[in-house]
Structure formats: C-alpha cells, structure tokens
Amino acid sequence: MKIRFYPLDFKYKVKDDDVIMYVFAKLESGEKVCLKLNYEPYFYACNIDPKLLAKIALPIEDKVARVTHWEEVEKELVGQKQKFLKIYTNFPKAVPPISKELENWGADCYEKDILFVQRFMRDLGLSALGLAEAQGEFQKDTEMRVPVFIAKKIKPADLSSEQKLRILAVDIETYAPTHYIEMEKNPVLMIALSGEDEQGKSFRTLLTWKRFKHDLEYIEVVDDEEELLKRFREVIVDYNPEVLFGYNSDNFDLPYLQIRAKKYGLHLDFGWDRSEIEIRREAKISGILHLDLYQFIRNIFGKNMKTESFSLDNVAFELLGHRKHKADISKLYSAWDEEQEKLEEYCKYNMHDAELTLKLGQKLFLEMLEFARTTGLPLFDTIRMSFSKLVESFIMKKAIAAQVLAPNKPTEYEIERRRGETYEGGFVYEPKPGLYNDIVVLDFRSLYPSIITAHNIGPEGLRCECCTEKKVPGMEAYWFCTREKKFIPSLLEELINKRAQLKKALKTKKGQDNRILEARSLALKMLANSFYGYLGFFGARWYCLECARSTTAYARNYIKDTLRKAESSGFTVCYSDTDSCFLLLGEKSLDEAMVFMKAVNKDLPGQMELDFQGYYPKGLFVGAKGTEKGAKKKYALLTSEGGVKITGFETVRRNWSKISKEVQEQVLHLVLEEKTLDALTYVQKVVKELKAGKIPIEKLVVKTKITRDLERYTSVGPHVAVARKMQEKGYPIYPGMLIEYVIVKGSGIVRERAKMVEEVKEGEYDAEYYIHHQLIPAVSSIFAVLGYSEENIFSESSQTGLGKFFG
DNA sequence: TCCCAACGGGG
DNA sequence: GTGTACGTTGGGA
C-alpha cells in the first residue's frame, strides 16, 4: 500500500546485518507513523585497486566492518571530472575506519564523514515537514507507541500543505542556593508546560511538590521530586506533542530532568520507540522534535537581531515585545525553604517563561523550517548549526544533482595553515572631519554576492586554462573562468534569483498571509550573504581564499571606480565604506545624482547594482581620537524628515550613563540642524544642572557587568567595589550580574566613591566626575569638528566668553 | 606577550 | 555517532 506523510525527524538503528532508517512522521490524516526503511552507508574513493576491498575486515566494538559492494561512478571534484569508486559498507560506523585503512594504502577518500541521517535525507530528496510518499505495509509492533510502516521505497511528493502541529514548551525551576548550577545535588522544584494542539486549543500545567496557598488554576501538586518526575513523564506521554520547545533546554532543562530522573531510577522514556532522552551536546527525544530556541537564535536568527545578549528576557522583548515576569530567581531556594507565601510569584514566573518560550517557538517556527528546507536537513540538526555549516549543507544538497563530490574537511594542520592566511577587506575612505550639506548616499546592493556571481568566483573556475586574460583587478595571479558557469557561483546566483522572484510574488500578494514566503526570503537572503564569508572560512570544505580575496579586490575596484566617476561628474566624495558612496551634491541636483547612478549601473555586470540609499541635508564626520585623521565608520546624518541617523558613536554602551547618551544625541541633533550655539548652550546648561545637583540620580547610573567571583578580581574597579559592599549587605552577587552604581562627592579614588544607587542622596553625586568622564568624552569630538576645544566648552578660563556659565 | 580555560544560556 | 561549536575574554605563566 501507499501512504503520504510529513517527516518530523529521523534516526537509524543497526539490527543484526541491517541498517534501518526510522522516519518519525505525521500522516496526511494527522495520525502519527514511524516508517522503517533499509538504507546502505557508503563513501567514495579513488586511487585504489578494487580487488583489495573484499579483503577488508576491521573489528569495531562487537562487529566487523566490511565492504559489502562497490560500483564505479563519475563525479566532479572541484571542477575536475573523474572516476571514483562508490564503496558500500555493512553499517555507518564502518565508514571511518575503512576509509582510513584505504587512505593508509594510498587511496583518496571522500564523503566519509557525512552524518548518516543527513546523507539519507539528501539522497532521497526529503525535506523537513515536506510531503513524501512511501510504498510498503503497516506492521504490528508493540515496541512502538505509534503504528509502524515498513517501507520499500520513499520519495518526496509534489503537493505540500502547511501542517498544524501539537506543540509544547517546557521550563523548569530548580533549587539553587548558589550561582553555580549543580544538577546532581539540587532538586527540580517546578516544571511549567505550555502548549497548543492542532486545533489551536491551549494547554497549561505547572507541576510542583510543595503545598502552599495560591489562586492559580494550572498548578498541580505532588508529594516529592520523584513523584514530580513521574508525573512529568505521564503528562508528556498523554499530551503526546510533536514538537517540544525550550530555551537553553539542550544544556539545562532536559539534562537536568534526565539527571534527576536517573537518581531515582526513573526512565523518561517518552520517545515514540520508548527510548529515553538522549543527552549529548544536544538533547534528543525519538519522535518528539525538540527545538532549543536559544540554539537557533544564538547560531542563526540572532544575526538578524539587535540584542547583544540572547537571554530569554532580551530576546522575548525584541521579538514579542514582552519581558519576563519580574521575580528574583536567586531567592527561590529560600522562599521554598522558609517563605512559602512567596512561591506563587515563582510559579507565575515559571509559567510565564514557558509561555514566552511557546510564543517564541510559534513566531520562529517558519523561519526554522525554511532554513531546514533550504539546506535539506532535519529541523533538529538545522537549528543547531552555525552559519558555515548551513551554507555547506546547502551546497552539499545541491551537489547531488550536479554530480559534484564534496571536498574533505581540512585537517587540523590545514586549519592552522589557513588561520595564518589574511587578506585585505573593503575599502574605507577616510573622511575629512566636518559638517557637510546635501549628501547623497548610494550603495551597491548585496555587493559581495553580486560580485561572486557576476565574475563566476569559485574554486572550480580559479585559474582555468581557457580564459587567462581577464585578471582580478590588482591580483595578477588570480583569474576565473568566463566560459561556463561554475558550481559555487551558480548556486549563489540561484539563491539570489529565487529571492528576487519571491520578493516579486510578495509584492503582488500584499495584505495576504505571506509568512511562509517572508521566512523563505529571509533564509535565502541570510544564506546568500554568508557565501563570501564561507569561502574564506578556515573550516570550509569549499574553502577558497583566492575567491574571498578576489571578491574584496573587485569590490574595492568597483567602489573606487564609482568614486572616481562621481568626482569627474562634478560630485565631491565625502565618505565611502565597502559598498557605499557618500557624495556631496554641491551645485548639482538630486536628479543629476540619479542620472549618475543610472550611468554607473549601465556598466555593471550581472546582478550588480548601485542603489539609491538616501538623501541627507546634513552630515557630520568627526576626527579620530588623538590624530589629525577623520574617524572611519563614525558619523551622523540628518534625514529629510528631521530624524538623525547615528553610526559608530558609542551612544549605546551601557557603561555610559543616561545623561551622556542623552547629551550626545541632543548635541548631534542640534549640530546637524546648524544650531551649534544652541548645542553649546545646551551642554553648558547640563553642566550647570550637574553642578547644582539637579540631575536625577537615575540618569547618572553607570552599569557594568560582574564577570567572575568577587574575590578573584585583582584590579578593583568601581563596579567591583560596589558589588563587594552589596555582598556584605547580604545581596546575592554572581558572575553575569549587572552592577549599577553612581560616583559621589568626597575624597579618595573613584572606586571608594562608587555607591549603590539606592544609597545615593539627591545631589550627592560628583558633578566633576560626570563632566570629565561622561560628558566630555561624549561630545568633545563633535565640538572639535566645529573648532571648539574642550577648554573652549568646559573650562572656566575660556576665552569664548562662555565661561561665565560655570561660576 | 603568549597560552589556556571558561563562557555563553539556564537557576 | 560516517561525531566533538566558536569566537572572545581574562587570568596565569
């Protein structure tokens, strides 16, 4: 019979002489199914006499690794077509020792370290939650929690629709008297579960093992930790989720639960095949797709975010607009022991974390899925990958159809060599410090990707014999084939074109639910933007430093060429960084700038394009500290709407007080609006208020992170001094905590005058400190551009006549 | 200055 | 599991 299904996850088992792939899936009807299919492991080799293969018998564990059969195939390796032996082995783990043995005999072996499940998916063309069909029969199997289908053949099916899934998020709270997490020692106190079924019905349960007064309908109390874990297992088995979300659950929640269960001899065996949670570097449950959102965000999606920390609080705030429930988690242990009336708050905290995790999972699910589909790997693996692996997986998926063999991973020695190789990056024009009028910013859209595709940059076409005349600018030894499109650049071109099509489709479908297309577009964009970095990444299989070098060399050439053209067309260049040109209009009009842009575009090859990025009536470029030179990557622009775009000014550093950020921003605003005198007056007003003690303490708070235990600090900064005082007063202090403090008046060095915020009386702060360490550094470079020195602005003996403000 | 270990997230 | 992240930071040598 034939079934149609959506694969969720995969694993394989070796039974006697069979290698069986398990596909955990959902049937079109919504029922669960586990498909079993035999699949053979293999790798490729050349420079070996096939007669030798039959003799191989290497003992591994309790088995003997053998070659079962082999065939001759033609494949392309870095542009060279060649014959290889495709060598099949009797089980997956036999591949590494056998290939090593062949290498000892002088053979070259390839694709000998491809994870078996990934190999299977790619070869069959399956994709995560993409409809597939199988021929075979259902089989009686009491070992499994779900029906088993013995498949003879599996292949992808055409039509695929969005599948509703039964999802669950988990979060635990534990007994933690110190900052150190000791899973063996301290019990789990609460487990919050928040889920949603296929019909959109929500599910909430919080399990705990202490009785206390509360009004929360979702709390279920058991007798002790052992009962808690038993009940947890029951709830999961009953609810039967397809996807389990967690936040750092690979390294915290699931290992914690597993370790505690082991202590009582309990088995958290909720896998479809009744297997337990497998804790390795990640936590895997057979059949239940465990997605640790922290992994996806840290590895992949975070590249697209502003937050500097990937704590649940920050991430939820940026993506969902909600923060965590406020509660001091470091006191949960004492509340548990002594103040049970406080436990209700901790239950709310726990449940809220689980709910945030569920919402994050729902918000990011399509993105995760699109990355998995583009790379052709299981969702479980995809979200835990770094970008280089993602790019590589995409290339390897495409390699199958192109009959391309993956080059080997670099050896340790080769990695060391590659790490030593450096090259020149983008061109940055050193700006002349000053305030400029009428700036037009043009930038190359996706500069590096478009250069790679336009010039066929890839390892296969490097120094090809047929087209030696077109050298990379400034790189006489580098040239790329112009005759035929090569593998790597053609993949990138495909990504870019697909995304362009998607964008077009999105435009015509405005107002509809386009979340899938948008997620796909994001995945394509992020992958395309990573190709250049991948080619220069030391760990890459398709590493090609010449390619990375050539890409930036072309980029420098194009940008300099554009700047030259701009100058000869009557514009003045005021700044440029990698892919952008800042041009002063002078006597010219905006229209003329557009004409110039179009003229440049006419000469650009392939997908390269210069875009209009914006027009700015004013722009400020400051000098680099302690030099005559202009600072690179540091400027402020005034938009036509009156807004200010700030780049590179350190307004967001947290060890700057609010007042210095505020003053810097305001000064930039005023200066850009040509109200320099107002800016001066404003600064002087703030100085006066500071001196008069009128600035609210809240704006003077400086925040610094504690990075280790307090006794381990050799140099005691103000934040450490304050943290020590706090500790003496009984505040819990642990690494990672942000210490907030204010510098107050008095004698002695700064750290002796650093105080906890709540202890600072109004007007007690040290105005001089804030003027010299916060205000001056924030604005001096700005005023310097306009010809005012620090003394001019701040000193009482100033000749500008403004000193009177400081009396 | 170099090298190695720890960290991130989680309680 | 056809396996061992990764880039940064800070202490100690």
Side-chain angles (χ1 to χ4, degrees):
Chain A
M1 68 176 294
K2 196 165 122 181
I3 59 168
R4 281 152 67 86
F5 60 96
Y6 294 90
L8 281 160
D9 204 11
F10 307 81
K11 81 177 209 178
Y12 79 90
K13 281 186 186 171
V14 180
K15 257 197 185 149
D16 307 322
D17 292 327
D18 279 335
V19 185
I20 306 160
M21 190 59 66
Y22 288 53
V23 182
F24 301 105
K26 204 169 177 172
L27 291 169
E28 272 190 313
S29 61
E31 303 289 309
K32 286 171 183 171
V33 64
C34 175
L35 295 99
K36 291 187 183 178
L37 177 74
N38 282 31
Y39 199 69
E40 290 181 292
Y42 64 87
F43 66 102
Y44 297 94
C46 61
N47 301 328
I48 185 78
D49 180 357
K51 283 195 221 94
L52 296 169
L53 298 177
K55 294 177 189 155
I56 295 173
L58 301 167
I60 302 161
E61 292 166 21
D62 57 341
K63 295 181 127 27
V64 180
R66 293 180 198 282
V67 171
T68 55
H69 57 291
W70 55 270
E71 64 199 45
E72 205 176 62
V73 291
E74 192 180 71
K75 289 270 177 181
E76 187 185 310
L77 182 67
V78 203
Q80 302 300 310
K81 279 204 177 113
Q82 218 182 303
K83 292 252 191 305
F84 291 88
L85 295 181
K86 185 173 180 182
I87 301 169
Y88 295 83
T89 68
N90 52 341
F91 57 97
K93 278 187 199 166
V95 169
I98 292 177
S99 61
K100 201 170 221 173
E101 182 78 359
L102 297 190
E103 279 167 343
N104 288 340
W105 298 348
D108 293 312
C109 299
Y110 297 93
E111 303 201 0
K112 59 206 173 174
D113 52 3
I114 312 293
L115 299 187
F116 193 49
V117 164
Q118 301 184 5
R119 158 78 75 201
F120 170 81
M121 273 190 83
R122 281 193 198 109
D123 285 0
L124 272 65
L126 301 178
S127 75
L129 283 171
L131 187 61
E133 54 188 46
Q135 288 284 348
E137 297 302 328
F138 279 101
Q139 189 196 49
K140 281 229 161 60
D141 189 332
T142 47
E143 234 177 86
M144 288 277 180
R145 292 188 195 280
V146 295
V148 171
F149 187 86
I150 305 295
K152 286 198 191 73
K153 197 178 170 220
I154 295 180
K155 63 169 192 187
D158 307 332
L159 285 167
S160 199
S161 65
E162 204 182 337
Q163 278 305 289
K164 291 264 181 263
L165 297 169
R166 177 174 285 245
I167 59 179
L168 188 67
V170 63
D171 182 57
I172 67 169
E173 305 303 329
T174 65
Y175 190 82
T178 65
H179 177 61
Y180 298 101
I181 284 165
E182 295 170 280
M183 301 194 183
E184 295 287 348
K185 201 164 131 196
N186 297 319
V188 177
L189 306 181
M190 303 170 181
I191 304 173
L193 296 163
S194 170
E196 197 176 292
D197 69 11
E198 296 89 331
Q199 282 79 42
K201 193 166 155 259
S202 37
F203 169 84
R204 289 200 301 182
T205 290
L206 187 146
L207 306 172
T208 186
W209 51 283
K210 187 149 286 197
R211 278 170 218 285
F212 53 90
K213 209 175 144 293
H214 65 80
D215 298 320
L216 304 172
E217 84 291 353
Y218 52 74
I219 294 184
E220 181 184 327
V221 183
V222 295
D223 291 337
D224 53 27
E225 192 193 15
E226 187 176 351
E227 290 301 318
L228 177 87
L229 294 162
K230 277 187 191 160
R231 183 69 188 121
F232 169 65
R233 178 187 164 277
E234 251 173 44
V235 174
I236 299 279
V237 171
D238 288 350
Y239 190 70
N240 198 8
E242 281 135 1
V243 178
L244 181 69
F245 293 122
Y247 203 83
N248 201 25
S249 40
D250 267 349
N251 286 304
F252 184 73
D253 304 70
L254 293 189
Y256 211 118
L257 290 165
Q258 177 73 339
I259 282 173
R260 299 308 296 175
K262 220 174 205 167
K263 232 180 154 66
Y264 300 105
L266 297 173
H267 300 287
L268 298 178
D269 57 346
F270 30 62
W272 288 10
D273 53 0
R274 297 178 200 276
S275 61
E276 293 185 56
I277 311 175
E278 289 173 58
I279 309 290
R280 301 168 194 283
R281 282 202 1 259
E282 62 269 311
K284 198 164 166 83
I285 307 166
S286 294
I288 301 178
L289 181 50
H290 170 225
L291 300 178
D292 181 345
L293 299 170
Y294 167 66
Q295 297 274 9
F296 177 61
I297 289 167
R298 191 197 51 185
N299 294 331
I300 301 169
F301 197 77
K303 304 267 182 303
N304 198 30
M305 292 172 59
K306 286 185 223 121
T307 176
E308 48 181 307
S309 144
F310 296 131
S311 64
L312 179 58
D313 192 44
N314 282 337
V315 167
F317 182 64
E318 181 169 341
L319 297 178
L320 306 172
H322 306 282
R323 291 207 166 273
K324 278 172 65 129
H325 186 75
K326 290 259 182 300
D328 183 355
I329 195 64
S330 66
K331 295 205 180 78
L332 167 60
Y333 81 97
S334 55
W336 185 264
D337 288 337
E338 291 152 14
E339 300 174 283
Q340 277 137 37
E341 67 280 3
K342 288 188 181 163
L343 288 178
E344 185 176 354
E345 273 310 298
Y346 287 107
C347 289
K348 283 188 196 161
Y349 172 92
N350 189 194
M351 181 49 79
H352 191 60
D353 274 7
E355 284 168 345
L356 284 179
T357 304
L358 183 76
K359 289 207 179 89
L360 274 182
Q362 290 172 313
K363 165 117 188 153
L364 296 175
F365 191 76
L366 287 177
E367 279 76 9
M368 295 192 272
L369 193 56
E370 285 307 326
F371 274 107
R373 287 183 169 166
T374 315
T375 55
L377 295 183
L379 250 175
F380 184 88
D381 304 53
T382 307
I383 65 147
R384 290 168 173 84
M385 279 180 172
S386 60
F387 246 99
S388 61
K389 274 262 177 328
L390 231 44
V391 173
E392 197 158 271
S393 299
F394 169 72
I395 299 174
M396 285 171 79
K397 182 182 95 174
K398 292 290 175 181
I400 293 176
Q403 298 295 325
V404 165
L405 215 56
N408 283 325
K409 283 188 196 156
T411 59
E412 224 165 283
Y413 173 78
E414 172 65 6
I415 286 177
E416 274 316 302
R417 190 192 68 73
R418 290 181 184 182
R419 278 183 193 270
E421 293 183 310
T422 54
Y423 63 99
E424 207 181 329
F427 169 72
V428 187
Y429 181 97
E430 188 197 308
K432 211 166 145 260
L435 183 61
Y436 298 95
N437 296 327
D438 299 322
I439 301 171
V440 169
V441 180
L442 306 176
D443 61 12
F444 283 94
R445 191 204 303 173
S446 300
L447 179 62
Y448 288 170
S450 65
I451 285 176
I452 291 173
T453 58
H455 295 284
N456 209 17
I457 295 176
E460 303 89 358
L462 175 64
R463 296 195 193 99
C464 85
E465 284 159 23
C466 56
C467 7
T468 56
E469 62 289 339
K470 205 184 158 203
K471 303 285 190 326
V472 175
M475 305 260 168
E476 280 306 300
Y478 297 166
W479 65 91
F480 294 91
C481 186
T482 52
R483 195 170 38 92
E484 62 172 8
K485 267 189 194 143
K486 297 294 184 179
F487 180 56
I488 292 286
S490 72
L491 295 187
L492 182 55
E493 190 174 81
E494 185 190 320
L495 281 177
I496 297 172
N497 287 341
K498 263 198 179 160
R499 175 145 189 274
Q501 281 170 20
L502 273 180
K503 286 263 151 196
K504 224 171 159 185
L506 275 167
K507 260 190 188 159
T508 60
K509 290 189 188 173
K510 261 196 182 148
Q512 297 178 34
D513 183 12
N514 287 320
R515 280 168 38 241
I516 294 181
L517 296 189
E518 267 152 18
R520 187 165 300 164
S521 168
L522 180 83
L524 295 176
K525 178 175 117 186
M526 291 182 90
L527 274 176
N529 288 342
S530 307
F531 256 71
Y532 154 74
Y534 174 80
L535 291 169
F537 169 56
F538 58 76
R541 289 176 189 266
W542 276 272
Y543 176 78
C544 177
L545 195 77
E546 296 91 339
C547 298
R549 266 191 190 137
S550 302
T551 307
T552 59
Y554 267 115
R556 290 191 300 273
N557 192 58
Y558 277 113
I559 204 89
K560 285 181 187 171
D561 202 39
T562 308
L563 297 177
R564 259 195 306 275
K565 283 181 184 164
E567 292 273 359
S568 62
S569 310
F571 299 95
T572 310
V573 173
C574 85
Y575 184 63
S576 166
D577 182 356
T578 311
D579 58 359
S580 61
C581 317
F582 290 55
L583 307 178
L584 302 180
L585 282 181
E587 299 299 310
K588 292 185 157 288
S589 68
L590 195 53
D591 283 343
E592 285 172 287
M594 302 310 277
V595 170
F596 166 73
M597 186 180 84
K598 277 177 195 145
V600 171
N601 274 330
K602 225 187 258 166
D603 297 336
L604 291 174
Q607 295 162 312
M608 289 192 69
E609 196 180 335
L610 189 63
D611 259 350
F612 172 71
Q613 194 269 325
Y615 161 75
Y616 304 93
K618 290 274 174 193
L620 180 79
F621 290 83
V622 300
K625 219 180 187 173
T627 63
E628 300 286 297
K629 292 177 176 174
K632 292 174 174 178
K633 301 177 193 287
K634 193 170 176 183
Y635 52 88
L637 302 169
L638 181 73
T639 67
S640 324
E641 294 81 36
V644 170
K645 267 177 116 172
I646 298 175
T647 304
F649 283 94
E650 291 144 328
T651 47
V652 283
R653 274 169 51 169
R654 66 171 166 231
N655 58 353
W656 273 30
S657 59
K658 261 191 201 159
I659 191 76
S660 52
K661 293 177 199 173
E662 205 176 286
V663 169
Q664 187 179 64
E665 259 183 63
Q666 184 62 15
V667 165
L668 283 172
H669 261 272
L670 289 170
V671 166
L672 285 171
E673 285 159 8
E674 287 198 274
K675 296 174 185 162
T676 305
L677 282 180
D678 290 352
L680 277 170
T681 319
Y682 167 73
V683 172
Q684 285 150 7
K685 192 187 100 204
V686 174
V687 167
K688 209 166 135 191
E689 284 174 5
L690 260 172
K691 288 193 171 177
K694 285 182 188 161
I695 302 288
I697 303 295
E698 180 254 321
K699 290 191 180 180
L700 302 169
V701 175
V702 180
K703 298 175 192 180
T704 311
K705 212 180 213 169
I706 290 286
T707 56
R708 64 193 99 126
D709 284 326
L710 293 185
E711 57 272 20
R712 289 176 59 218
Y713 275 96
T714 44
S715 67
V716 178
H719 67 298
V720 180
V722 170
R724 285 185 177 167
K725 278 186 244 172
M726 287 172 73
Q727 199 167 44
E728 277 167 33
K729 292 193 176 166
Y731 288 88
I733 303 290
Y734 50 85
M737 227 174 125
L738 262 191
I739 301 295
E740 304 192 339
Y741 60 93
V742 172
I743 306 296
V744 299
K745 282 181 203 149
S747 57
I749 56 177
V750 172
R751 70 160 179 257
E752 289 163 1
R753 295 186 284 116
K755 267 198 177 181
M756 277 171 68
V757 179
E758 58 187 66
E759 291 187 345
V760 180
K761 289 179 217 95
E762 217 164 291
E764 193 194 353
Y765 63 81
D766 180 7
E768 287 303 319
Y769 172 86
Y770 283 94
I771 292 167
H772 289 98
H773 291 89
Q774 299 275 333
L775 278 201
I776 292 182
V779 299
S780 63
S781 69
I782 302 170
F783 283 116
V785 171
L786 307 161
Y788 296 94
S789 70
E790 266 172 45
E791 278 108 55
N792 286 154
I793 319 160
F794 293 98
S795 124
E796 294 175 35
S797 58
S798 132
Q799 300 301 303
T800 58
L802 298 163
K804 62 184 173 181
F805 286 100
F806 304 92

